[in-house]
Amino acid sequence: MRLLEALIPFLSPAVMAWLLASCSASGGEATDRAAHQSSEVPDTFRVSPVLSIGDPELGLIVNAFVRRDRIYVANSALSEVREYDLSGNLVRRIGRRGAGPGEFLFLRWIAPLEPDSLVALDREAWRVTVFGPDGRYARSFSLRLVEYGQPEWIAAYGHGFALGFSKGLDPRRMGSLFRDSVFIALTPVQGPEQEQGGAQLLPPVPGRWWARLSSQSVRAVVEGAQPLFSSRDSILMIAPSDSHYVKRWTGRGWTVIALCRQGWTNGTVSHYPGVSVRLYDHLTVAADGTFWLAEHRVRSDSLRYWRVFSGDGRLQALVPLPAGVTVWQVDGNRLLGTRATEAGLEYVELLELVR
């Protein structure tokens, strides 16, 4: 019942009935936790390092991806993309700080654009830039989508792009807290202002608690991270991060995927009794339709588990990783991630799953 009570403000009666039927068949949330602790606990995998790139200038890595024999890293501190080979050698720098074509005021996200290009999101300039196979500037378009909130994330999707935004729509004031929502807007490949059509705004998904200093200012996400978006090929997913479900876009609406046998229990945010803590703080979708969720991390954690779910929400495996590791891409048994040390150094790491 606690699960349904948490979801009631956001789900229609039909979706709530579906969720209840989906997980109550095995006894509901309490049974899922019991199964997680019983002999039915899924396989636990360890990882073996393949490559670690520890460039001293790699600071404030926002995300990364690997394509064939190249690794691309978004370096927000220097507002540039760095391209490496699979031996860890720097091949080229793509983009630079500035306001001109191919430059960034604040590089927020990068994503592959098949077959061999990449796309980058400048959050400060509200601009999307495409770079060609040689790393040179190809084209860009401006985002005039202020009503959707702040741009956080981008991915190639369909015949255009999926853009993730964050925006507070349904404030629920509890002392100094309010609720936030995340949005995805689909735009044509040439940008939202072309004659082919504007941006399509998908229904929002709530799920973040922000600390409020005053009615006009926001400090930070309370014990949490960025909005949870992920996309791979034709798969587009979004997560509220504090409930036992994720959503997948079908082209006509969001499909709710209940997380069964997930092994999480609800807690409370420190200093804010009664407020649900984030259950997980990162979502990564794999090409085979499985998805990875990293359990909520607090500063004292030295280790955290990544839970691997099937496309229908069944827990398949647990992968313990150092708390500072974030997995950005999953390709079969190969993982691409970044690792932050206590000293503040950041590394790009290619890892292999080992049973």
Side-chain angles (χ1 to χ4, degrees):
M1 290 303 296
R2 285 183 299 168
L3 171 60
L4 290 181
E5 288 170 359
L7 298 180
I8 284 173
F10 315 115
L11 300 179
S12 67
V15 171
M16 286 194 295
W18 183 91
L19 271 173
L20 180 61
S22 176
C23 280
S24 62
S26 60
E29 183 183 358
T31 301
D32 289 339
R33 292 200 298 272
H36 177 65
Q37 298 168 354
S38 71
S39 60
E40 298 181 26
V41 172
D43 291 335
T44 298
F45 294 89
R46 62 182 179 88
V47 296
S48 175
V50 176
L51 171 68
S52 182
I53 302 173
D55 192 327
E57 293 185 352
L58 277 179
L60 198 55
I61 300 173
V62 288
N63 78 308
F65 68 86
V66 58
R67 179 167 51 196
R68 294 182 288 279
D69 60 346
R70 292 289 187 266
I71 296 174
Y72 300 86
V73 183
N75 186 334
S76 187
L78 298 179
S79 285
E80 67 180 22
V81 181
R82 294 198 169 190
E83 179 182 337
Y84 297 88
D85 62 25
L86 294 186
S87 296
N89 300 310
L90 178 63
V91 176
R92 61 168 63 94
R93 294 176 171 87
I94 300 173
R96 62 183 182 182
R97 188 180 303 279
E103 298 177 339
F104 310 110
L105 296 178
F106 186 90
L107 177 59
R108 181 63 187 90
W109 206 265
I110 60 172
L113 185 61
E114 298 302 337
D116 48 16
S117 303
L118 70 87
V119 61
L121 172 65
D122 187 333
R123 187 171 71 182
E124 192 71 21
W126 282 74
R127 183 170 58 209
V128 171
T129 300
V130 175
F131 294 91
D134 57 0
R136 296 184 179 182
Y137 169 82
R139 59 186 176 85
S140 63
F141 62 85
S142 297
L143 298 175
R144 300 189 182 277
L145 306 170
V146 180
E147 67 274 19
Y148 297 164
Q150 179 173 271
E152 303 277 2
W153 166 90
I154 188 170
Y157 183 76
H159 298 293
F161 302 102
L163 288 153
F165 297 82
S166 64
K167 182 178 181 181
L169 277 188
D170 182 24
R172 297 185 177 190
R173 306 197 178 199
M174 297 183 182
S176 60
L177 294 178
F178 73 95
R179 196 67 180 249
D180 196 11
S181 298
V182 293
F183 289 81
I184 288 183
L186 303 181
T187 74
V189 69
Q190 296 297 331
E193 299 177 358
Q194 302 301 311
E195 294 182 359
Q196 298 97 315
Q200 175 191 0
L201 179 64
L202 308 188
V205 174
R208 293 195 301 170
W209 290 102
W210 289 76
R212 180 193 295 276
L213 293 181
S214 70
S215 60
Q216 300 299 322
S217 64
V218 172
R219 184 182 65 193
V221 180
V222 176
E223 295 191 6
Q226 297 298 330
L228 302 183
F229 313 98
S230 189
S231 178
R232 187 66 187 272
D233 301 330
S234 61
I235 303 171
L236 179 61
M237 297 184 70
I238 191 170
S241 80
D242 64 351
S243 301
H244 299 283
Y245 72 94
V246 298
K247 291 188 175 183
R248 177 172 174 172
W249 182 249
T250 65
R252 293 182 294 179
W254 291 111
T255 294
V256 177
I257 302 173
L259 304 181
C260 298
R261 296 178 64 240
Q262 77 286 332
W264 278 302
T265 58
N266 288 303
T268 58
V269 175
S270 302
H271 311 301
Y272 298 100
V275 178
S276 295
V277 74
R278 297 172 62 92
L279 299 171
Y280 40 89
D281 61 15
H282 193 85
L283 166 68
T284 300
V285 178
D288 62 1
T290 60
F291 56 94
W292 291 50
L293 288 170
E295 67 182 14
H296 166 70
R297 177 193 178 189
V298 295
R299 292 183 179 179
S300 60
D301 288 340
S302 60
L303 186 75
R304 65 172 171 171
Y305 279 88
W306 289 71
R307 288 165 169 79
V308 183
F309 292 88
S310 62
D312 61 358
R314 295 287 168 176
L315 183 61
Q316 294 186 321
L318 302 175
V319 183
L321 292 172
V325 172
T326 298
V327 176
W328 295 109
Q329 190 175 347
V330 179
D331 279 304
N333 288 332
R334 188 172 69 171
L335 312 178
L336 179 70
T338 52
R339 176 172 58 90
T341 68
E342 293 183 358
L345 299 177
E346 296 195 70
Y347 293 81
V348 179
E349 297 194 330
L350 198 59
L351 307 169
E352 184 177 19
L353 278 177
V354 180
R355 183 180 293 274

